[in-house]
Amino acid sequence: MLFYEASAKIESCRILEKYLKNNDEERSASKHQEEIWCELEDYAIEYSSEHEYSVVVFVCYIDTDTSNGRVEFRVISKNYKEDAAKHIYGYTEKCGMKIYDFNIRETTYERVSKMKSRLFHLDYDVIDRFFSCDFMKNGERRNKCREINVDTKILKKQLYDKAVKLNCSETLLPELERIFTNRNSTNYLGNPVQYIIICNKNGVGYEIAKIIMAALYKQNRLKSSRIWISGLLTDQDETYGYSYCEASSVGIVIPNIRDIDNEYDKNRLRKAADKMGLMIEEHSSNVLTFVFVKRGSERIKDLIKDSAPNTNFCEIKQNTYRGCEAREYIRRDLIEKNIDESVGDKIDIADDIDYYPDELDARIHKCLGNILCSDIYSQYAEYQTKHIERIKEREGNAYQELKSMIGLNKPKNIIDKIISYYNTREIYRANGMKPPLSAVHMVFTGNPGTAKTTVARLFADIFKDNKILSEGALIEAGRADLVGEYVGQTAPKVKSLFRRAKGNVLFIDEAYSLVDDRRGLYGDEAINTLVQEMENNREDIIVILAGYPDRMQQFLDTNPGLTSRIAFHINFDDYTEEELYEILVSMATKSGVKLSEDVHDKVIEIFGHACKHKDFGNGRFVRNIYEQALMNQTLRIAKNTEQPSEKELRTLVAEDFNDLGIKETAEKERKVIGF
């Protein structure tokens, strides 16, 4: 169904003239008004009946003064093929009304229903009389929905600008290019794709949908500019208003499955998603669907896609920012807010994590709030947000990501063992038996650059995906988060950290920093409390202690209870020359860069020399030489007087790996003093 609102000026009106001519002073003005409205509604019902209730035209406001008087109409059209303006003129002709300065535009059901007090007898019952639409009849279900009306007069350039401002240039701009490639010059033909919008904020998702809708409407690929939005409901009889939105759009908001506590409701949600996919496929030719998905609910998204195998889906999501790009995003945001860009230096950004705009916005907000508390209004210093880093939730399958990483055979084998162990526990429970209880705390040892932190992040995601942990975030902590400054502060600090880490992985890097120069100090108290909390929280928290091999052994030796509570001791071996080369290829591929054939022998020589040194950096060393090679490439291209081709710009050659300017790590010879 489509809804319209129209207005015009009255030149003449037979009904008004009849009642004004027969005006009897003894009869009240309100009685005359009621008689006018009743006759106008009778004509509306008669006109609708003549057209088999495919369209309904109502007068919702009329001036009794016919000289330049104003009249307003509402139109409910059962399908997009009806010409609303033509029907208004047909209705006014039946009423004996002549109008001019006529304007009409599409509106929403909500705006029509709000006029019920001015429409005299018109309310939901009248709509039900005209249309046998179950979705409209169910007031409770209808109230869970909302409509968005899209501005179709917006300029094409403004749509592109909005897409960039919403940080969707990587996926939304290409789709706008596809939409504007050719205009539909015929009747409504249907929809080649349905849309999945992945965004944590519904408001941003709706704005993305409005951009797509406006572009499609301009290209004559939609006949309505409204989106009817509903949550994904577990009612198996739900129709989501598809019969009500022909040639228009339906939006389905998928809740985050992680916000649902019990398995029963999760299963109902999965079944609803499965039915949703079937419905999308059934109506794909005449209704455009937008599925709004929160990051982390990819399983529900995949269920919908699997249930609609013959339907094409276009996924739209916001850009991600990593390293320098993330810092540049923060800098631009601070400048836009007229804040000194140096404030951005206080915001911690990891170089190997992809951040979404809302995550960076949250970090900026947190930083500015802390500055207000600490620097401007120091009396609120105790209210500062404490720094406990929560690594972002990764998209995709973390298990597959770990398996695709180069080397790391030991961590890969351990994760398989842990998953199998927890699956076995579920079998015990299913058979009414108490499962064996065992802690899964770990120690990671390895030289710099061997991917200890990266694997810890992936482990956290895998634990979450396999329901081993309820939340599965990685919480990083160091000595400052565990050791107090004064007597009596350390133990409460450790216990507080464990409370915040419930349901997550607690990652303590450089754990040996807890060891003090002499025994009996705060570090010992932290280690003792750590051992106690590891035992008390073995079902809710997985602790990973990480550091360099020699120093970690010294740390474990400080407390006998530590070793007994560690289930897995994983040593991250240094990469071989060939593995380092594979890492280099992977880095280049992710950046859209290719390596020429002569690069292999060149870098193998470099890696072979580097591997002879103890602390050469492993993966970090590879990243350094890759970035240096990119700089050398720009110098090589700049010396060439000819315009480089795209292939040359995207290819690194052996020459680019000369004069890398990387200081090699040499083992320092230890001099022994004494006898």
Short mmCIF file of all heavy atoms in Angstrom, two decimals, residues 133-136 138 141-142 144-147 226-246 248-255 268-280 282-283 287-291 300 304:
data_model
loop_
_atom_site.label_atom_id
_atom_site.label_comp_id
_atom_site.label_asym_id
_atom_site.label_seq_id
_atom_site.Cartn_x
_atom_site.Cartn_y
_atom_site.Cartn_z
N CYS A 133 -6.03 -6.64 5.07
CA CYS A 133 -4.59 -6.77 5.29
C CYS A 133 -4.35 -7.12 6.76
O CYS A 133 -4.56 -6.30 7.64
CB CYS A 133 -3.87 -5.47 4.94
SG CYS A 133 -2.11 -5.51 5.25
N ASP A 134 -3.96 -8.38 7.01
CA ASP A 134 -3.77 -8.84 8.38
C ASP A 134 -2.74 -7.99 9.12
O ASP A 134 -2.86 -7.73 10.31
CB ASP A 134 -3.31 -10.30 8.40
CG ASP A 134 -4.41 -11.23 7.91
OD1 ASP A 134 -5.57 -10.82 7.99
OD2 ASP A 134 -4.08 -12.33 7.44
N PHE A 135 -1.70 -7.55 8.41
CA PHE A 135 -0.64 -6.79 9.05
C PHE A 135 -1.18 -5.48 9.62
O PHE A 135 -0.82 -5.06 10.71
CB PHE A 135 0.47 -6.51 8.04
CG PHE A 135 1.71 -5.96 8.67
CD1 PHE A 135 2.65 -6.81 9.23
CD2 PHE A 135 1.95 -4.60 8.72
CE1 PHE A 135 3.80 -6.32 9.81
CE2 PHE A 135 3.09 -4.10 9.30
CZ PHE A 135 4.01 -4.97 9.85
N MET A 136 -2.10 -4.83 8.85
CA MET A 136 -2.64 -3.55 9.31
C MET A 136 -3.64 -3.77 10.45
O MET A 136 -3.82 -2.91 11.30
CB MET A 136 -3.32 -2.83 8.15
CG MET A 136 -2.39 -2.49 7.01
SD MET A 136 -1.08 -1.36 7.50
CE MET A 136 -2.03 0.11 7.81
N ASN A 138 -3.51 -5.92 12.91
CA ASN A 138 -2.88 -6.23 14.19
C ASN A 138 -2.22 -4.99 14.75
O ASN A 138 -1.11 -4.63 14.41
CB ASN A 138 -1.83 -7.33 14.00
CG ASN A 138 -1.35 -7.89 15.33
OD1 ASN A 138 -1.16 -7.14 16.28
ND2 ASN A 138 -1.16 -9.19 15.39
N ARG A 141 1.17 -5.52 16.66
CA ARG A 141 2.29 -5.80 15.77
C ARG A 141 2.69 -4.53 15.02
O ARG A 141 3.86 -4.25 14.83
CB ARG A 141 1.89 -6.90 14.79
CG ARG A 141 3.03 -7.45 13.97
CD ARG A 141 2.52 -8.53 13.04
NE ARG A 141 1.85 -9.59 13.77
CZ ARG A 141 0.97 -10.42 13.21
NH1 ARG A 141 0.68 -10.33 11.95
NH2 ARG A 141 0.39 -11.34 13.94
N ARG A 142 1.67 -3.78 14.60
CA ARG A 142 1.94 -2.56 13.84
C ARG A 142 2.71 -1.54 14.69
O ARG A 142 3.58 -0.83 14.21
CB ARG A 142 0.62 -1.97 13.35
CG ARG A 142 0.74 -0.78 12.43
CD ARG A 142 -0.61 -0.37 11.88
NE ARG A 142 -1.56 -0.08 12.94
CZ ARG A 142 -2.68 -0.76 13.15
NH1 ARG A 142 -2.98 -1.80 12.41
NH2 ARG A 142 -3.50 -0.44 14.13
N LYS A 144 4.97 -2.11 16.79
CA LYS A 144 6.37 -2.47 16.92
C LYS A 144 7.18 -2.02 15.71
O LYS A 144 8.38 -2.23 15.65
CB LYS A 144 6.51 -3.99 17.09
CG LYS A 144 5.94 -4.51 18.41
CD LYS A 144 6.07 -6.02 18.48
CE LYS A 144 5.49 -6.56 19.78
NZ LYS A 144 5.56 -8.03 19.84
N CYS A 145 6.50 -1.45 14.73
CA CYS A 145 7.15 -1.08 13.47
C CYS A 145 7.24 0.44 13.35
O CYS A 145 6.64 1.19 14.11
CB CYS A 145 6.38 -1.65 12.29
SG CYS A 145 6.12 -3.42 12.39
N ARG A 146 7.99 0.86 12.37
CA ARG A 146 8.10 2.29 12.09
C ARG A 146 8.32 2.49 10.59
O ARG A 146 8.74 1.56 9.90
CB ARG A 146 9.25 2.94 12.86
CG ARG A 146 10.60 2.35 12.56
CD ARG A 146 11.72 3.10 13.24
NE ARG A 146 11.84 4.46 12.75
CZ ARG A 146 12.83 5.28 13.06
NH1 ARG A 146 13.79 4.87 13.86
NH2 ARG A 146 12.88 6.50 12.58
N GLU A 147 7.99 3.67 10.12
CA GLU A 147 8.19 3.99 8.71
C GLU A 147 9.18 5.13 8.57
O GLU A 147 9.21 6.04 9.40
CB GLU A 147 6.86 4.40 8.07
CG GLU A 147 5.91 3.27 7.84
CD GLU A 147 4.57 3.76 7.33
OE1 GLU A 147 3.82 4.33 8.13
OE2 GLU A 147 4.28 3.57 6.14
N ARG A 226 9.15 4.92 0.72
CA ARG A 226 9.03 4.59 2.15
C ARG A 226 9.72 3.27 2.46
O ARG A 226 9.76 2.37 1.64
CB ARG A 226 7.56 4.45 2.56
CG ARG A 226 6.78 5.74 2.58
CD ARG A 226 5.33 5.49 2.97
NE ARG A 226 4.70 4.56 2.04
CZ ARG A 226 4.30 3.34 2.38
NH1 ARG A 226 4.49 2.90 3.60
NH2 ARG A 226 3.72 2.56 1.51
N ILE A 227 10.26 3.19 3.68
CA ILE A 227 10.79 1.92 4.20
C ILE A 227 9.97 1.55 5.43
O ILE A 227 9.86 2.34 6.37
CB ILE A 227 12.28 2.04 4.60
CG1 ILE A 227 13.10 2.70 3.51
CG2 ILE A 227 12.84 0.67 4.94
CD1 ILE A 227 14.55 2.93 3.91
N TRP A 228 9.40 0.37 5.41
CA TRP A 228 8.63 -0.14 6.55
C TRP A 228 9.56 -1.01 7.38
O TRP A 228 10.01 -2.06 6.94
CB TRP A 228 7.44 -0.94 6.04
CG TRP A 228 6.55 -1.48 7.11
CD1 TRP A 228 6.59 -2.73 7.63
CD2 TRP A 228 5.51 -0.80 7.80
NE1 TRP A 228 5.63 -2.88 8.61
CE2 TRP A 228 4.94 -1.70 8.73
CE3 TRP A 228 4.99 0.49 7.73
CZ2 TRP A 228 3.90 -1.36 9.56
CZ3 TRP A 228 3.94 0.83 8.56
CH2 TRP A 228 3.41 -0.08 9.45
N ILE A 229 9.91 -0.57 8.59
CA ILE A 229 10.95 -1.23 9.40
C ILE A 229 10.33 -1.97 10.58
O ILE A 229 9.48 -1.43 11.29
CB ILE A 229 11.98 -0.20 9.89
CG1 ILE A 229 12.73 0.38 8.68
CG2 ILE A 229 12.95 -0.83 10.86
CD1 ILE A 229 13.75 1.40 9.03
N SER A 230 10.77 -3.21 10.74
CA SER A 230 10.29 -4.05 11.83
C SER A 230 11.47 -4.79 12.42
O SER A 230 12.47 -5.04 11.74
CB SER A 230 9.25 -5.04 11.31
OG SER A 230 8.98 -6.04 12.27
N GLY A 231 11.37 -5.16 13.69
CA GLY A 231 12.36 -6.03 14.27
C GLY A 231 12.13 -7.45 13.79
O GLY A 231 11.03 -7.79 13.34
N LEU A 232 13.16 -8.30 13.87
CA LEU A 232 12.99 -9.72 13.56
C LEU A 232 12.21 -10.34 14.70
O LEU A 232 12.69 -10.45 15.82
CB LEU A 232 14.35 -10.40 13.40
CG LEU A 232 14.31 -11.89 13.05
CD1 LEU A 232 13.69 -12.09 11.67
CD2 LEU A 232 15.69 -12.50 13.09
N LEU A 233 10.97 -10.73 14.41
CA LEU A 233 10.07 -11.23 15.44
C LEU A 233 10.03 -12.75 15.41
O LEU A 233 10.14 -13.38 14.36
CB LEU A 233 8.66 -10.67 15.23
CG LEU A 233 8.59 -9.13 15.15
CD1 LEU A 233 7.19 -8.69 14.81
CD2 LEU A 233 9.03 -8.51 16.46
N THR A 234 9.86 -13.36 16.58
CA THR A 234 9.87 -14.82 16.67
C THR A 234 8.49 -15.42 16.45
O THR A 234 8.33 -16.64 16.51
CB THR A 234 10.41 -15.26 18.05
OG1 THR A 234 9.66 -14.60 19.08
CG2 THR A 234 11.87 -14.90 18.18
N ASP A 235 7.48 -14.58 16.20
CA ASP A 235 6.16 -15.08 15.85
C ASP A 235 6.23 -15.75 14.47
O ASP A 235 6.49 -15.10 13.47
CB ASP A 235 5.16 -13.91 15.83
CG ASP A 235 3.75 -14.36 15.49
OD1 ASP A 235 3.56 -15.57 15.24
OD2 ASP A 235 2.85 -13.50 15.48
N GLN A 236 5.97 -17.05 14.41
CA GLN A 236 6.14 -17.79 13.16
C GLN A 236 5.09 -17.43 12.12
O GLN A 236 5.22 -17.78 10.96
CB GLN A 236 6.11 -19.31 13.44
CG GLN A 236 7.31 -19.79 14.24
CD GLN A 236 8.63 -19.47 13.55
OE1 GLN A 236 8.86 -19.87 12.42
NE2 GLN A 236 9.48 -18.72 14.24
N ASP A 237 4.01 -16.72 12.52
CA ASP A 237 3.00 -16.28 11.57
C ASP A 237 3.26 -14.87 11.06
O ASP A 237 2.44 -14.30 10.34
CB ASP A 237 1.60 -16.34 12.22
CG ASP A 237 1.22 -17.76 12.61
OD1 ASP A 237 1.60 -18.68 11.86
OD2 ASP A 237 0.56 -17.94 13.65
N GLU A 238 4.39 -14.30 11.42
CA GLU A 238 4.70 -12.92 11.05
C GLU A 238 4.86 -12.78 9.53
O GLU A 238 5.49 -13.62 8.88
CB GLU A 238 6.00 -12.48 11.75
CG GLU A 238 6.34 -11.03 11.52
CD GLU A 238 5.21 -10.13 11.92
OE1 GLU A 238 4.87 -10.08 13.12
OE2 GLU A 238 4.65 -9.49 11.02
N THR A 239 4.27 -11.72 8.98
CA THR A 239 4.38 -11.46 7.54
C THR A 239 5.24 -10.24 7.23
O THR A 239 5.56 -9.98 6.08
CB THR A 239 2.99 -11.22 6.93
OG1 THR A 239 2.41 -10.03 7.51
CG2 THR A 239 2.07 -12.41 7.18
N TYR A 240 5.60 -9.45 8.27
CA TYR A 240 6.50 -8.30 8.13
C TYR A 240 5.99 -7.25 7.14
O TYR A 240 6.75 -6.43 6.66
CB TYR A 240 7.91 -8.74 7.71
CG TYR A 240 8.58 -9.58 8.75
CD1 TYR A 240 8.60 -10.95 8.65
CD2 TYR A 240 9.18 -8.99 9.87
CE1 TYR A 240 9.20 -11.74 9.62
CE2 TYR A 240 9.78 -9.76 10.84
CZ TYR A 240 9.79 -11.13 10.72
OH TYR A 240 10.37 -11.89 11.68
N GLY A 241 4.70 -7.30 6.81
CA GLY A 241 4.13 -6.27 5.94
C GLY A 241 4.53 -6.38 4.49
O GLY A 241 4.42 -5.40 3.74
N TYR A 242 5.00 -7.56 4.05
CA TYR A 242 5.41 -7.68 2.65
C TYR A 242 4.25 -7.43 1.70
O TYR A 242 4.41 -6.81 0.65
CB TYR A 242 6.01 -9.08 2.40
CG TYR A 242 7.49 -9.13 2.68
CD1 TYR A 242 7.97 -9.65 3.86
CD2 TYR A 242 8.41 -8.63 1.76
CE1 TYR A 242 9.34 -9.70 4.14
CE2 TYR A 242 9.77 -8.67 2.02
CZ TYR A 242 10.23 -9.20 3.20
OH TYR A 242 11.57 -9.21 3.47
N SER A 243 3.04 -7.91 2.06
CA SER A 243 1.89 -7.69 1.20
C SER A 243 1.49 -6.22 1.16
O SER A 243 0.74 -5.78 0.30
CB SER A 243 0.70 -8.52 1.69
OG SER A 243 0.38 -8.18 3.03
N TYR A 244 2.03 -5.45 2.11
CA TYR A 244 1.68 -4.04 2.26
C TYR A 244 2.70 -3.13 1.56
O TYR A 244 2.49 -1.94 1.42
CB TYR A 244 1.59 -3.78 3.77
CG TYR A 244 1.81 -2.39 4.27
CD1 TYR A 244 0.84 -1.41 4.09
CD2 TYR A 244 2.96 -2.05 4.96
CE1 TYR A 244 1.04 -0.13 4.59
CE2 TYR A 244 3.16 -0.79 5.45
CZ TYR A 244 2.19 0.17 5.26
OH TYR A 244 2.37 1.42 5.75
N CYS A 245 3.82 -3.70 1.09
CA CYS A 245 4.94 -2.89 0.59
C CYS A 245 5.34 -3.22 -0.84
O CYS A 245 6.52 -3.17 -1.19
CB CYS A 245 6.15 -3.05 1.51
SG CYS A 245 5.91 -2.37 3.15
N GLU A 246 4.41 -3.56 -1.69
CA GLU A 246 4.74 -3.86 -3.08
C GLU A 246 5.39 -2.66 -3.75
O GLU A 246 4.93 -1.53 -3.60
CB GLU A 246 3.48 -4.27 -3.86
CG GLU A 246 3.78 -4.74 -5.27
CD GLU A 246 2.53 -5.13 -6.01
OE1 GLU A 246 1.43 -4.89 -5.49
OE2 GLU A 246 2.66 -5.66 -7.12
N SER A 248 7.91 -1.27 -2.92
CA SER A 248 8.50 -0.42 -1.89
C SER A 248 9.55 -1.24 -1.14
O SER A 248 10.13 -2.16 -1.70
CB SER A 248 7.40 0.08 -0.95
OG SER A 248 7.92 0.97 0.01
N SER A 249 9.80 -0.90 0.13
CA SER A 249 10.89 -1.53 0.87
C SER A 249 10.46 -1.95 2.27
O SER A 249 9.68 -1.27 2.93
CB SER A 249 12.08 -0.57 0.99
OG SER A 249 12.56 -0.24 -0.28
N VAL A 250 11.01 -3.10 2.68
CA VAL A 250 10.85 -3.59 4.05
C VAL A 250 12.23 -3.62 4.69
O VAL A 250 13.20 -4.05 4.06
CB VAL A 250 10.23 -5.01 4.05
CG1 VAL A 250 10.35 -5.65 5.42
CG2 VAL A 250 8.77 -4.95 3.63
N GLY A 251 12.32 -3.16 5.92
CA GLY A 251 13.58 -3.22 6.66
C GLY A 251 13.42 -4.13 7.87
O GLY A 251 12.45 -4.00 8.62
N ILE A 252 14.34 -5.07 8.04
CA ILE A 252 14.29 -6.00 9.17
C ILE A 252 15.53 -5.78 10.04
O ILE A 252 16.65 -5.90 9.56
CB ILE A 252 14.26 -7.47 8.70
CG1 ILE A 252 13.17 -7.67 7.65
CG2 ILE A 252 14.06 -8.40 9.89
CD1 ILE A 252 11.76 -7.43 8.15
N VAL A 253 15.32 -5.43 11.29
CA VAL A 253 16.42 -5.18 12.22
C VAL A 253 16.71 -6.47 12.99
O VAL A 253 15.85 -6.98 13.72
CB VAL A 253 16.08 -4.05 13.21
CG1 VAL A 253 17.24 -3.79 14.15
CG2 VAL A 253 15.73 -2.78 12.44
N ILE A 254 17.91 -7.00 12.81
CA ILE A 254 18.31 -8.25 13.48
C ILE A 254 18.91 -7.92 14.84
O ILE A 254 19.89 -7.18 14.92
CB ILE A 254 19.34 -9.02 12.64
CG1 ILE A 254 18.84 -9.22 11.20
CG2 ILE A 254 19.67 -10.35 13.30
CD1 ILE A 254 17.61 -10.05 11.08
N PRO A 255 18.36 -8.45 15.93
CA PRO A 255 18.97 -8.20 17.25
C PRO A 255 20.32 -8.90 17.35
O PRO A 255 20.58 -9.87 16.63
CB PRO A 255 17.95 -8.80 18.23
CG PRO A 255 17.23 -9.82 17.43
CD PRO A 255 17.19 -9.33 16.02
N ARG A 268 14.79 -19.79 18.93
CA ARG A 268 13.62 -19.15 18.32
C ARG A 268 14.05 -18.08 17.33
O ARG A 268 13.46 -17.93 16.26
CB ARG A 268 12.73 -18.53 19.39
CG ARG A 268 12.03 -19.52 20.29
CD ARG A 268 11.08 -18.82 21.24
NE ARG A 268 9.96 -18.25 20.52
CZ ARG A 268 9.19 -17.28 21.01
NH1 ARG A 268 9.44 -16.76 22.20
NH2 ARG A 268 8.18 -16.82 20.31
N LEU A 269 15.11 -17.35 17.70
CA LEU A 269 15.62 -16.31 16.81
C LEU A 269 16.18 -16.92 15.53
O LEU A 269 15.97 -16.40 14.43
CB LEU A 269 16.69 -15.49 17.54
CG LEU A 269 17.29 -14.31 16.77
CD1 LEU A 269 16.22 -13.29 16.43
CD2 LEU A 269 18.38 -13.65 17.59
N ARG A 270 16.90 -18.03 15.67
CA ARG A 270 17.45 -18.70 14.49
C ARG A 270 16.34 -19.19 13.56
O ARG A 270 16.44 -19.09 12.33
CB ARG A 270 18.35 -19.85 14.92
CG ARG A 270 19.61 -19.41 15.67
CD ARG A 270 20.51 -20.60 15.98
NE ARG A 270 21.64 -20.19 16.82
CZ ARG A 270 21.73 -20.46 18.11
NH1 ARG A 270 20.77 -21.15 18.72
NH2 ARG A 270 22.78 -20.07 18.81
N LYS A 271 15.27 -19.74 14.14
CA LYS A 271 14.14 -20.20 13.33
C LYS A 271 13.47 -19.02 12.62
O LYS A 271 13.07 -19.14 11.45
CB LYS A 271 13.13 -20.93 14.22
CG LYS A 271 13.61 -22.28 14.72
CD LYS A 271 12.56 -22.94 15.60
CE LYS A 271 13.06 -24.29 16.12
NZ LYS A 271 12.05 -24.93 17.02
N ALA A 272 13.34 -17.90 13.33
CA ALA A 272 12.74 -16.71 12.72
C ALA A 272 13.60 -16.20 11.56
O ALA A 272 13.09 -15.78 10.53
CB ALA A 272 12.56 -15.61 13.78
N ALA A 273 14.93 -16.27 11.73
CA ALA A 273 15.84 -15.84 10.66
C ALA A 273 15.71 -16.76 9.45
O ALA A 273 15.74 -16.30 8.30
CB ALA A 273 17.28 -15.83 11.17
N ASP A 274 15.56 -18.04 9.71
CA ASP A 274 15.39 -19.00 8.63
C ASP A 274 14.11 -18.71 7.84
O ASP A 274 14.10 -18.70 6.61
CB ASP A 274 15.34 -20.41 9.22
CG ASP A 274 15.37 -21.49 8.14
OD1 ASP A 274 16.36 -21.52 7.38
OD2 ASP A 274 14.42 -22.27 8.06
N LYS A 275 13.02 -18.43 8.55
CA LYS A 275 11.74 -18.08 7.90
C LYS A 275 11.85 -16.75 7.17
O LYS A 275 11.27 -16.54 6.10
CB LYS A 275 10.64 -18.02 8.95
CG LYS A 275 9.24 -17.78 8.36
CD LYS A 275 8.21 -17.82 9.45
CE LYS A 275 6.81 -17.67 8.86
NZ LYS A 275 6.58 -16.34 8.30
N MET A 276 12.64 -15.83 7.76
CA MET A 276 12.83 -14.53 7.13
C MET A 276 13.47 -14.68 5.75
O MET A 276 13.06 -14.03 4.78
CB MET A 276 13.74 -13.67 8.03
CG MET A 276 14.02 -12.27 7.54
SD MET A 276 12.61 -11.21 7.83
CE MET A 276 11.97 -11.05 6.20
N GLY A 277 14.47 -15.55 5.64
CA GLY A 277 15.11 -15.78 4.36
C GLY A 277 14.14 -16.30 3.31
O GLY A 277 14.15 -15.86 2.15
N LEU A 278 13.26 -17.23 3.71
CA LEU A 278 12.25 -17.76 2.79
C LEU A 278 11.32 -16.66 2.30
O LEU A 278 10.95 -16.60 1.12
CB LEU A 278 11.44 -18.87 3.47
CG LEU A 278 12.21 -20.13 3.89
CD1 LEU A 278 11.31 -21.06 4.70
CD2 LEU A 278 12.74 -20.85 2.66
N MET A 279 10.95 -15.76 3.22
CA MET A 279 10.04 -14.67 2.86
C MET A 279 10.70 -13.66 1.93
O MET A 279 10.09 -13.15 0.99
CB MET A 279 9.55 -13.99 4.14
CG MET A 279 8.27 -13.20 3.97
SD MET A 279 7.56 -12.77 5.57
CE MET A 279 7.15 -14.38 6.20
N ILE A 280 11.99 -13.38 2.19
CA ILE A 280 12.72 -12.46 1.30
C ILE A 280 12.74 -13.02 -0.11
O ILE A 280 12.50 -12.30 -1.09
CB ILE A 280 14.16 -12.24 1.83
CG1 ILE A 280 14.15 -11.43 3.12
CG2 ILE A 280 15.01 -11.52 0.77
CD1 ILE A 280 15.50 -11.30 3.78
N GLU A 282 10.67 -15.19 -1.46
CA GLU A 282 9.32 -15.23 -2.03
C GLU A 282 8.90 -13.88 -2.61
O GLU A 282 8.24 -13.81 -3.65
CB GLU A 282 8.33 -15.67 -0.96
CG GLU A 282 6.88 -15.73 -1.43
CD GLU A 282 5.91 -16.07 -0.30
OE1 GLU A 282 6.39 -16.44 0.80
OE2 GLU A 282 4.70 -15.96 -0.52
N HIS A 283 9.30 -12.79 -1.94
CA HIS A 283 8.86 -11.45 -2.35
C HIS A 283 9.96 -10.64 -3.04
O HIS A 283 9.78 -9.44 -3.26
CB HIS A 283 8.36 -10.67 -1.13
CG HIS A 283 7.16 -11.28 -0.47
ND1 HIS A 283 5.87 -11.07 -0.94
CD2 HIS A 283 7.04 -12.11 0.60
CE1 HIS A 283 5.02 -11.73 -0.17
NE2 HIS A 283 5.70 -12.37 0.77
N VAL A 287 9.33 -6.65 -3.73
CA VAL A 287 9.61 -5.87 -2.52
C VAL A 287 11.12 -5.87 -2.28
O VAL A 287 11.76 -6.92 -2.33
CB VAL A 287 8.89 -6.44 -1.28
CG1 VAL A 287 9.24 -5.62 -0.04
CG2 VAL A 287 7.38 -6.46 -1.49
N LEU A 288 11.68 -4.70 -2.04
CA LEU A 288 13.10 -4.57 -1.71
C LEU A 288 13.26 -4.72 -0.20
O LEU A 288 12.57 -4.07 0.58
CB LEU A 288 13.62 -3.20 -2.15
CG LEU A 288 15.10 -2.91 -1.86
CD1 LEU A 288 15.99 -3.82 -2.68
CD2 LEU A 288 15.43 -1.44 -2.13
N THR A 289 14.19 -5.58 0.21
CA THR A 289 14.41 -5.82 1.64
C THR A 289 15.78 -5.30 2.07
O THR A 289 16.79 -5.55 1.41
CB THR A 289 14.33 -7.33 1.97
OG1 THR A 289 13.04 -7.81 1.59
CG2 THR A 289 14.52 -7.57 3.46
N PHE A 290 15.79 -4.60 3.19
CA PHE A 290 17.03 -4.20 3.87
C PHE A 290 17.11 -5.00 5.17
O PHE A 290 16.20 -4.94 6.00
CB PHE A 290 17.02 -2.71 4.21
CG PHE A 290 17.12 -1.80 3.01
CD1 PHE A 290 15.97 -1.30 2.43
CD2 PHE A 290 18.35 -1.45 2.47
CE1 PHE A 290 16.05 -0.45 1.33
CE2 PHE A 290 18.44 -0.62 1.38
CZ PHE A 290 17.28 -0.11 0.80
N VAL A 291 18.17 -5.76 5.33
CA VAL A 291 18.40 -6.50 6.57
C VAL A 291 19.48 -5.76 7.35
O VAL A 291 20.62 -5.63 6.89
CB VAL A 291 18.84 -7.95 6.30
CG1 VAL A 291 19.04 -8.69 7.61
CG2 VAL A 291 17.81 -8.67 5.44
N ILE A 300 23.36 -15.17 12.14
CA ILE A 300 21.96 -14.93 11.77
C ILE A 300 21.89 -14.47 10.32
O ILE A 300 21.03 -14.90 9.54
CB ILE A 300 21.33 -13.87 12.70
CG1 ILE A 300 21.35 -14.36 14.16
CG2 ILE A 300 19.90 -13.56 12.27
CD1 ILE A 300 20.53 -15.60 14.41
N ILE A 304 19.89 -16.37 7.10
CA ILE A 304 18.96 -15.73 6.18
C ILE A 304 19.39 -15.97 4.74
O ILE A 304 18.59 -16.34 3.87
CB ILE A 304 18.85 -14.21 6.48
CG1 ILE A 304 18.17 -13.99 7.84
CG2 ILE A 304 18.09 -13.49 5.38
CD1 ILE A 304 18.16 -12.55 8.30
#
